[in-house]
Structures are given as C-alpha cells and as structure tokens.
Amino acid sequence: MSEHRRKTPQPQGGGRAAARRAAQQSTGRRAVPSRRDTSSSPSESPSESYGEQPQYGSRAEARRAAQKGGRRRGADAGGHGAGGGGRRRGGGGGSDGPGGQGRDSGGPGKKRMIDYPRYGKYGFRRWVPSWKLVSGLCLGFLGVLMGIGGIAYALVVPPDINKAAKAQNNVYYWADGSQMVATGGAVNRQELNYEQIPVEMRNAVISAENKSFNSDRGIDPVGIGRAFFNMATGGETQGGSTITQQYVKNSMLSQDQTLKRKFQELFITLKVGGEMKKEEVMEGYLNVSYYGRGASGLQAAARTYYNKDADELNASECAFLATLLKGASYYDPAGATDIDKTNATPEKNTKRAKERWEWILDEQVKDGRMTQADRAKYTKFPDPLPPKKDAKLGGQTGYLVELSKKYFLANNDKGITAKDLELGGFEIHTTFQKKRVEQLEAAVKKVYKAKIRPKERPKTDTHVEFGGASVDAKTGAIIATYGGQDATTHFTNNADATGAQVGSTWKPFVLAAAMQYGVRDPSGPPEQSESQRTQVSPKSIYNGDDGLRIRDYTGKIWLNEDDEEWRQTNDGNYDYGEIDLRTAMEKSANSPFVQLGMDVGTDKVKDVAVASGLKDDTFMADATVPSFSIGTSSPSAIRMAGSYATFATSGQQNDTYSVTEVKERGVPVFQHKKKSKRAFSPMIADNVTDVLKNVVENGTGEPAKLEGRQAAGKTGTTDGNRSAWFVGYTPQISTAISMFRLDDDETNKTRKFEEMFGTGGEEKIHGNSFPASIWHDYMTGAMKGKKAIAFPKPQDPGDVVWGGGAVSPSPTPSPTPSETPSDDPTTPTPSPTPTTPSPTPTPTETCGIFDPNCEEANGGANAGADGGGENAGADGGGGDNTGADGGGDNTGTTDGTDNGGAQGANGNPGGTGSIWGNSG
C-alpha cells in the first residue's frame, strides 16, 4: 500500500481543534503545515510530514492556527495546485488536488431552498438552472396567473344592453363657442325577444360569423385560426371573434383600445359563455349590434333598410343585414363617403355587399341551414331603401357636420369610430364661423336667383352646382364652406372633392415649379441637378400660339403612346405670339404654361402642388402628359383654398382643418395641433402672388377685384366647358369657388359632367363669370372691418428664359435696332434670324444660357445690365441708344423694345438666348 494511503495517526491533543483536524484527515485532505512550524526539516519525507501534527498549548491557540491555515490555503492554492478556499471563501479544486472547504464551494455544506447558482457545479453549469428549478418557477407562475384570473372572473359583470342603449347627443359648436346643432344621440333601437328574431337571421349570422356558436364556450381557437388562414389565402373571411365576443365588445360603454379593456373583454366573454344560455347571447348580440344609418339592433335595421318589422324579413334580406355586421360603412350600398371617400363609395360598397350576400346564402347551404331549393329562390340582390336625412341637418349644417365628423374620425388617435359617434356623448368644437357660412351661402343664392332658371332653360340650367370653401390663410382653419343647396336633398358635399377639374387655376403651380426648380438643360439627362437648371423669371418669354406643337425639354416633338403629337390650343383659339409668363397668366394663355411644364418637368409641377397642400390621391391627374399643367386634376375646393393660402403666407404651408377640440362626456379626447412647414421660399411665393395680383387688377380676374384692398387670384375653365373656378386670396383669407353641371341622381353610377354652354344665359361659362362674382360678393362681406394689408414686394426671382420656340432678340451689325416682340399679343412681330455664337464669344456677341464658354459681357452691342456700349441694358454705361437709366441720347424704355437693351430693366441681362439654344 502506498505510503500516501496509510491511515493517519490519531492526534494526541484533545478539544475541538483536534476534532477539526481529524475531520480534515478523514475526508482525505491533508493539513498543510504552518509556515511557522519548524519541527519538520526539508529532508523529511512527505509521508512523515503528512502524518505529524503540531501541538498547541490551548484550544484557542489551535483555533487561531486553523483559521490562519485555512486562509493561507484559500489564498495561495497550496504547493500541489489546490483550488483552495477557507471557511469563508469557496473555490473549486486545483489541477492536482481538491479545493478548500467553504460555504459557497463545491465541498460539503447545507443546500439552499432555491439552488441557484447551482450547488456542486462548476463553470457555466453552475449558472444553468436545473429542471426542478424551472418546473417549480413555471408552476408558481401559473398558480399566480390562475389566482389573478379567478379573482378577475369573479369581479367582472356580464354586459347590460340597457346601459349601452343610453346614448347621449353629439353637440357641434361654431368657432365662437355657440351651439350649431345637437344630433346623433337618439339611438334607433327597439329590443326583440329571442322568439321574435327570425330563424333565417339566426342562421345567416351563425354561418357568417361563428359556425361553432352552438357548441363553443365563447372563444373558438379553431375559428381564429381559420380566419387567419382565409385572410392569408385571400378567401372570404368568417370573423375570428365569436358571436359571444362580439356581443361583449358591442355592449361595453368604453371603446378604448387598451390592454385593460382587452383583458376585461376576455374574462367577461368567458363568464358569459359559461353562465348565459346561447339563446340569451344571440338575443343580446342582435339587439345591440350596429347596422349603420344610426340603426342599433335588428328591429331598427329592418325598419331603416326595408321599412318592415324584423319578423317580416325573408332569408335574402336577413343575409344582407348579416352582411352589414362586417362593417356597415363598407357594405351599405348607399356608401359612406363621409367616412372614406375613396373606398366607401356607393359603387364599391354595392359590389362588396352583393359578393358577401351571395357568400352567406351559400354558406348556409353548406352548413345545412338552408336547402338548395330555398337558395335557388334568391338570385336578385335585395336592394335596400335610400337613406333618409335628419331634418336638423338641412341647409349647410349637414355638410358642416359631415366635414367635422370626417376630419375627427381620420385624425383622432384614440381609436374612436363612427359607431362610437352614433352612440353620442361627444362635444365637437369646429372652426366654422356662422356669419361667414351665411355670407357664402347668400352669395351663391344670389347667382341662383338672378341667373339660373331651370324651368325656362331646362337643357342648360338643370343640375347646376356650386361648391365653395374659405380658409384662414395664417392657420389653415376652414371658416366657411358651401356644399350644395340642402344637405337633406343633395347628398354630395360640393366643398369636398367632386371630380370637377380645376383648369387654369393650376397654372400658378407651374410658375412656382419653374422658379423653384428651373428649366432643364436640353443637352442634359431628364433628372438634373440645380446647377444644370436655369431658374425662371415671370418675365421669361414663351410662344403663345394656338395649336402649338408641344416639345419635350430636349426640343423633340412630344408624342403619346399612339405616336400622336400634342397641339395645345388656347381658349377661343387665340394666338398670343411670343408672350412673357406674367402676361400669359393675365390672359390665361394655355400653350406657354404647357410648354413650360414640359421644360421644368411635370413631375416637379406635381411636387410643388403637393407641397402647397394638395393631396396625391385619386383626384390627382396623370402627371406624365402635357395637359397636366393646365389643370386636369380635380382636388376639392377646400384643398384649392388651402394651397393658395400657401402663396398668401409667403410659402408657409398649413394643413386645412375643421375641428379644434373634441370631448367625450366632458373628457378631452382630441385637440388640433398646428403643424406648419415651408413649401417654398418667400421669393417664389411672393412672385406668384404678384403675378396673380396682376390677374385680378388687369386680367381675367377683374370681376373679383375688391375695393380698397389687394387681392390675388386665378380663373379656371376646362375643356368642353364642364367646370369653371375662381380661386383667390387676400393676405388674411383664401377662398375657392367651383361651378359645374352634374346629374344629381346619385343612384346613377355613371354620372358625367355636362357642358355649360348657354347656362345662366351666358354663351360660355368662364371662371371670371359666376365663380368670380360669388367670390367677390363673399369676400367683400368677409373682409369688412379687417385691416387692408398689402402683399409683400417680390424679389427678383431669376433669369429671363426664351422657350417654346420663342427666339430672343439678336444683335445686328447695323446701329439700327432689330425688331423685338411687340407688347400687343394680337400682332406679334417675327423675331430676326438668330446668330450662332462661336465657341469663344467676343465682347460684341451674346451667348445662349447654356453655353459653358460664355463670359459676362462688359461692353458691346446688346449688352446686359451694367454693360456699356450700344443698345445697353438698364443702368448701362454711356453709349448711343442705351436702356433705361443709362446715359446718352435716345434713352430706351424698361421693356427692352426699340432703342433699349432687351429686358435690360432691373439689371436683367439683355438678349438672353432661348432654351432651345437660339442665342441672342
């Protein structure tokens, strides 16, 4: 037997210290001699040193020695590689020997209730919980959840439909805080007993909403999975929620989308499913569900849609009413454009309703709730009655309520729905000013009374409609609208989008885009940087001929998909010749702005229109064709008024809004927050305003001129004379007026805009006729008492560009000045043949605007601003025939015609080349 395995001799001493030493020896751990123990020499064998123990004079001394030895072992790890640890320091074993004893070590000791970090494990295993610990924690967590669930289950109360039926009024307020109207609080509901509910209705609802209704416990996991699968595969969806869940949800007074409410719904559903009879659940569900048009409950729905009692409904009508439970706003054939003008149209709703109606009938056959023979009886869709309007919402009130309701539902962040509004209890504070609404309505009625006579002129004066909106330019608040003659008889709100094209009122966006982005270099790519473009001034000259061939920015004739060229006509087929953009806007010439839009890029025109406040939606026309620049889009009067307000505020854009605050039972749930952004620079906006001010003072907008104050605006007339507009503003208010003819039979799905030739006794309707007259009368009253404020003076915007084939004036060797475009647009004078600049121009030559070799001319004939020589521009130095303010004889005028430098005024360079490379 090895000497190391011999039994250690028993110690001679007594007491606890000896016992402790004996215990150490019995576990196989040898006692390391103290460094102070000199009884053993270095030559002694290991076995001898292992077996001998030092003797101590007292128990206290032995205890101190043991403590010192333990600490030393833990700290130094021993000569044999022990992992070491004293009584208070744990440690693992070393490479050659065991670790020291400690309370947290892997050695012997008492285990804890929660064994973590794990006892007797080392390395990463020490931190991996055992299966016992994991199982215990899971069981404990489930026990806590079951306890909480049990308490919650005991505390929740099943729904009470009588409380849910106690709805309140919705009260709408004018901007000054006075009450406009109280509506929406009289809930159309009459409860039915289970026996009074037709079997056909019960079957339709079960097949459509919850096939397992008669067997489930209120929650159907299979149904939820099936609903997810059908949605993923694009199939017709049965609701994932059971009838019990929907009954609970529809019965709760609070519709907050919170976690607390979801838990309440869950526990109430479990309680209802466990304690209430299926008959009671079905009765409650059909009595509390919302079917649209203000009808809550099956009896009210039967009366609203078919004017009969519920027990008189047949299976086809029941299938339709079951369709409405999926969402009346999107399945009512009458549409719900006040909720969603794009997707809830009568056409789309009718299509959806018919498809689901057929599906519900077929599902009943599959489920054995209807025979195939009975199903064959119902092939025609049971069209419901048209909706009725509340008498309190007559006149303009209904349109105002619709606008504010639509705005609130689209912008609140509380998840408040149309159904919630129908239940009432809301205070809606609007931006509408009662006096302004009355003034706008009076201005329209004045035209109707004086000019529109449908009995005398039925072919031309029937179906005449006006729309209007007025906006606070500084805030975007809608202060007045005109939606039609009566909201109870004319259901379409004409202040909202109607589809009427805006015509030439679009041209300011083209001019703004030309100043914002500039015209493109004909030799460059379609997408060009700012340095490649040339910023345009309203003084730029374009070809205003009627029937002008429109070219792309490179100069090529533009062709459509059928290889047809575009020839742009002017109103009245009038030839304007070469005309500056300011005058073109004043005369409302079309061809210059169509070509300008192509030079800038119609996509940039669209960007400017959107930046000013218009929406890029279905009412925005195709921006890839030349006609986009003359108003083929059809935004609403509200949007047009808001976008022109951006010009009035020097480029600061504010979204239009109609609601300032909403309270639900006294608690604020919505407040409008103003969000302004810069659409374009003050230089651009103020120049557009200056051009539009000239339209009112000297151009087509003269009928809108206001006495004693400045106004800016633009007329608009569309091809075929199917709509006419006037949009204008003062520094305080922006207003848009539209006029059109549209078949008012809203059941006609293919309504078209009708021509207005002869309407109102006029040969043709223009924007400067009835729309401008209404604008003038309304704005005169609306601005009464307000301070007359002048528009900001515009800054010099950019370069004078010659485009659309217009040729800039060219220098001649003779001192006799060349003929330049006449100021009279009716008698344009042909421009002389341009000279071609050499690669290195001399001081007597003028370069094209895109010629990289061109240098600023400091002298010579036809020089620009500050240049000397003959025919110099404004502020030019000495020389014969100088421009305005220049020294010398025969001083010219600022318009750059005979005896003056072309376009020399205000320091603009004279003789700038056309954008097609025709240099001056």
Side-chain angles (χ1 to χ4, degrees):
M1 180 180 294
S2 172
E3 204 173 0
H4 287 283
R5 298 176 62 83
R6 291 182 302 175
K7 185 176 181 180
T8 307
Q10 296 294 324
Q12 301 299 318
R16 285 181 291 179
R20 186 162 51 252
R21 288 193 296 275
Q24 292 174 344
Q25 292 175 0
S26 67
T27 59
R29 289 178 173 82
R30 59 186 177 182
V32 180
S34 171
R35 294 182 182 179
R36 296 181 182 180
D37 186 5
T38 58
S39 61
S40 299
S41 65
S43 61
E44 291 179 350
S45 66
S47 60
E48 293 172 339
S49 63
Y50 183 85
E52 295 180 358
Q53 300 294 337
Q55 303 297 319
Y56 302 102
S58 67
R59 285 181 294 179
E61 184 178 355
R63 185 164 53 251
R64 287 194 296 271
Q67 290 174 348
K68 292 178 181 178
R71 286 194 296 270
R72 187 175 298 112
R73 285 191 300 272
D76 299 334
H80 293 275
R87 293 177 64 192
R88 301 182 185 274
R89 301 185 185 182
S95 59
D96 297 326
Q101 182 179 355
R103 292 183 180 179
D104 295 332
S105 70
K110 184 179 180 180
K111 286 190 176 182
R112 296 157 294 180
M113 179 177 294
I114 299 178
D115 185 22
Y116 194 81
R118 294 181 66 183
Y119 172 83
K121 301 294 182 181
Y122 306 97
F124 76 92
R125 293 182 179 85
R126 180 175 172 83
W127 305 100
V128 177
S130 66
W131 67 270
K132 294 180 180 179
L133 178 61
V134 173
S135 300
L137 290 175
C138 290
L139 289 174
F141 181 70
L142 290 175
V144 172
L145 284 183
M146 291 177 66
I148 295 175
I151 295 173
Y153 184 86
L155 292 178
V156 296
V157 179
D160 185 348
I161 61 174
N162 292 323
K163 290 184 179 179
K166 293 179 180 178
Q168 303 176 28
N169 282 333
N170 288 327
V171 183
Y172 293 82
Y173 295 90
W174 295 103
D176 62 3
S178 60
Q179 182 174 318
M180 179 195 304
V181 66
T183 184
V187 175
N188 185 7
R189 188 202 307 275
Q190 181 180 344
E191 293 181 31
L192 298 173
N193 295 325
Y194 182 78
E195 293 76 16
Q196 295 175 294
I197 299 173
V199 175
E200 293 84 355
M201 187 66 189
R202 296 180 227 154
N203 291 337
V205 170
I206 292 174
S207 291
E209 302 291 330
N210 184 192
K211 293 180 183 294
S212 63
F213 171 72
N214 291 323
S215 59
D216 64 42
R217 299 281 295 178
I219 294 178
D220 180 18
V222 176
I224 295 174
R226 181 171 56 247
F228 274 114
F229 177 79
N230 287 340
M231 283 190 292
T233 57
E236 183 67 54
T237 59
Q238 175 192 0
S241 299
T242 64
I243 288 176
T244 307
Q245 287 176 284
Q246 294 180 59
Y247 166 49
V248 170
K249 179 180 179 181
N250 293 340
S251 301
M252 296 185 72
L253 292 176
S254 172
Q255 298 297 318
D256 294 338
Q257 301 298 314
T258 61
L259 189 61
K260 175 184 176 182
R261 182 178 177 275
K262 294 297 181 184
F263 272 111
Q264 285 180 327
E265 284 185 16
L266 173 63
F267 288 112
I268 294 175
T269 299
L270 292 173
K271 195 162 192 175
V272 169
E275 298 181 3
M276 291 182 67
K277 296 179 179 179
K278 292 296 183 180
E279 291 81 1
E280 294 175 323
V281 175
M282 178 63 74
E283 174 188 318
Y285 173 62
L286 293 178
N287 277 328
V288 80
S289 294
Y290 182 66
Y291 296 80
R293 301 191 190 181
S296 291
L298 178 60
Q299 175 64 14
R303 280 289 177 187
T304 299
Y305 287 93
Y306 294 109
N307 195 27
K308 61 175 64 174
D309 291 327
D311 58 5
E312 298 174 346
L313 296 170
N314 60 36
S316 177
E317 293 165 341
C318 287
F320 167 72
L321 294 181
T323 293
L324 297 174
L325 295 174
K326 191 173 177 65
S329 297
Y330 294 95
Y331 287 87
D332 182 355
T337 53
D338 58 329
I339 305 299
D340 188 339
K341 196 169 187 68
T342 302
N343 297 314
T345 61
E347 296 82 2
K348 292 182 178 180
N349 279 17
T350 300
K351 182 176 182 293
R352 278 190 290 263
K354 287 182 177 180
E355 290 175 352
R356 189 162 179 83
W357 167 76
E358 290 179 349
W359 178 80
I360 290 175
L361 291 174
D362 293 339
E363 287 298 301
Q364 291 182 69
V365 175
K366 291 181 183 178
D367 297 340
R369 302 181 187 278
M370 177 185 289
T371 65
Q372 188 63 50
D374 288 338
R375 170 66 181 91
K377 298 176 183 178
Y378 307 114
T379 57
K380 183 180 179 182
F381 181 71
D383 289 306
L385 299 172
K388 297 179 181 179
K389 290 289 184 176
D390 190 341
K392 292 183 293 184
L393 300 178
Q396 298 305 305
T397 303
Y399 301 123
L400 301 178
V401 167
E402 176 193 329
L403 284 173
S404 54
K405 175 182 175 182
K406 179 181 177 182
Y407 178 83
F408 170 60
L409 291 176
N411 291 278
N412 82 88
D413 57 1
K414 300 291 186 182
I416 296 173
T417 65
K419 179 201 168 186
D420 301 329
L421 282 180
E422 292 289 350
L423 294 177
F426 291 88
E427 297 177 18
I428 297 95
H429 295 264
T430 74
T431 60
F432 306 124
Q433 298 177 13
K434 183 177 182 180
K435 187 175 182 179
R436 302 290 172 259
V437 172
E438 292 173 346
Q439 289 171 332
L440 182 55
E441 185 177 27
V444 176
K445 284 184 175 180
K446 179 180 177 181
V447 171
Y448 267 122
K449 185 177 181 180
K451 295 292 185 178
I452 309 302
R453 301 188 177 99
K455 292 182 180 180
E456 296 180 14
R457 296 184 289 264
K459 291 185 178 180
T460 60
D461 284 20
T462 54
H463 308 145
V464 175
E465 295 292 339
F466 292 95
S470 189
V471 170
D472 185 326
K474 299 296 182 183
T475 65
I478 305 171
I479 61 177
T481 66
Y482 181 85
Q485 296 187 62
D486 193 324
T488 62
T489 58
H490 175 76
F491 304 143
T492 302
N493 189 344
N494 295 342
D496 213 338
T498 61
Q501 295 181 354
V502 297
S504 292
T505 59
W506 196 264
K507 291 174 183 174
F509 302 131
V510 183
L511 179 60
M515 290 189 284
Q516 172 95 343
Y517 297 102
V519 295
R520 290 174 285 185
D521 181 351
S523 62
E527 292 296 328
Q528 299 182 11
S529 64
E530 183 178 349
S531 61
Q532 294 175 289
R533 293 171 174 262
T534 302
Q535 196 175 30
V536 173
S537 164
K539 299 176 184 177
S540 297
I541 307 297
Y542 266 74
N543 191 331
D545 286 344
D546 183 64
L548 179 71
R549 282 191 176 94
I550 300 303
R551 304 169 182 266
D552 64 20
Y553 78 99
T554 66
K556 285 181 59 179
I557 298 294
W558 185 88
L559 301 175
N560 62 14
E561 295 177 351
D562 298 325
D563 289 333
E564 297 171 339
E565 63 182 28
W566 184 275
R567 285 181 174 268
Q568 183 57 54
T569 60
N570 294 320
D571 187 32
N573 302 113
Y574 197 83
D575 279 321
Y576 293 97
E578 295 181 355
I579 185 173
D580 65 78
L581 297 177
R582 181 184 180 87
T583 306
M585 189 77 76
E586 173 190 320
K587 305 292 185 184
S588 200
N590 291 333
S591 51
F593 287 99
V594 173
Q595 185 59 61
L596 179 62
M598 298 298 289
D599 296 343
V600 175
T602 50
D603 59 327
K604 301 301 182 184
V605 176
K606 178 180 176 180
D607 289 345
V608 165
V610 171
S612 70
L614 299 184
K615 291 185 68 176
D616 186 7
D617 55 13
T618 56
F619 298 101
M620 182 72 72
D622 181 6
T624 64
V625 295
S627 59
F628 179 76
S629 294
I630 50 172
T632 53
S633 298
S634 53
S636 68
I638 294 173
R639 291 285 177 184
M640 288 300 290
S643 64
Y644 269 49
T646 304
F647 297 126
T649 55
S650 297
Q652 198 71 21
Q653 192 267 330
N654 298 294
D655 287 338
T656 55
Y657 67 101
S658 58
V659 177
T660 58
E661 183 182 30
V662 177
K663 295 180 180 179
E664 183 181 10
R665 295 174 175 85
V667 179
V669 293
F670 172 80
Q671 284 187 328
H672 170 75
K673 295 180 181 179
K674 181 181 178 182
K675 295 180 181 179
S676 298
K677 62 182 179 182
R678 179 152 294 284
F680 24 77
S681 69
M683 181 274 291
I684 294 173
D686 294 344
N687 269 279
V688 172
T689 293
D690 189 59
V691 171
L692 297 183
K693 182 164 70 77
N694 183 60
V695 171
V696 173
E697 293 176 350
N698 304 302
T700 57
E702 271 195 273
K705 186 184 299 184
L706 299 177
E707 185 178 353
R709 66 176 68 245
Q710 294 184 359
K714 184 68 187 78
T715 56
T717 307
T718 58
D719 288 343
N721 203 211
R722 289 179 170 84
S723 62
W725 289 72
F726 186 83
V727 187
Y729 54 93
T730 65
Q732 298 101 320
I733 298 177
S734 177
T735 302
I737 304 295
S738 65
M739 177 181 178
F740 53 91
R741 291 184 65 213
L742 183 64
D743 183 2
D744 200 38
D745 180 8
E746 298 191 24
T747 62
N748 181 6
K749 310 303 182 184
T750 59
R751 292 187 299 164
K752 294 182 179 180
F753 287 88
E754 301 174 1
E755 295 179 345
M756 294 191 292
F757 296 107
T759 298
E762 301 288 328
E763 181 180 350
K764 182 179 181 180
I765 299 297
H766 293 85
N768 66 352
S769 57
F770 299 145
S773 174
I774 293 171
W775 189 94
H776 170 271
D777 291 349
Y778 163 72
M779 289 293 285
T780 297
M783 296 304 299
K784 188 175 182 180
K786 294 184 180 292
K787 182 180 179 181
I789 302 175
F791 289 117
K793 187 176 181 180
Q795 301 175 357
D796 185 21
D799 299 328
V800 174
V801 173
W802 296 69
V807 182
S808 62
S810 303
T812 63
S814 171
T816 303
S818 301
E819 293 184 347
T820 58
S822 171
D823 287 339
D824 184 2
T826 62
T827 56
T829 304
S831 299
T833 303
T835 59
T836 304
S838 62
T840 305
T842 65
T844 59
E845 294 175 322
T846 304
C847 302
I849 61 173
F850 299 116
D851 192 340
N853 297 316
C854 184
E855 298 178 358
E856 180 178 350
N858 294 318
N862 223 15
D866 300 322
E870 295 179 353
N871 295 330
D875 300 319
D880 296 334
N881 301 324
T882 58
D885 299 323
D889 299 329
N890 300 324
T891 302
T893 59
T894 59
D895 61 5
T897 54
D898 292 348
N899 298 324
Q903 294 295 334
N906 299 320
N908 290 316
T912 307
S914 79
I915 66 169
W916 310 126
N918 296 318
S919 59

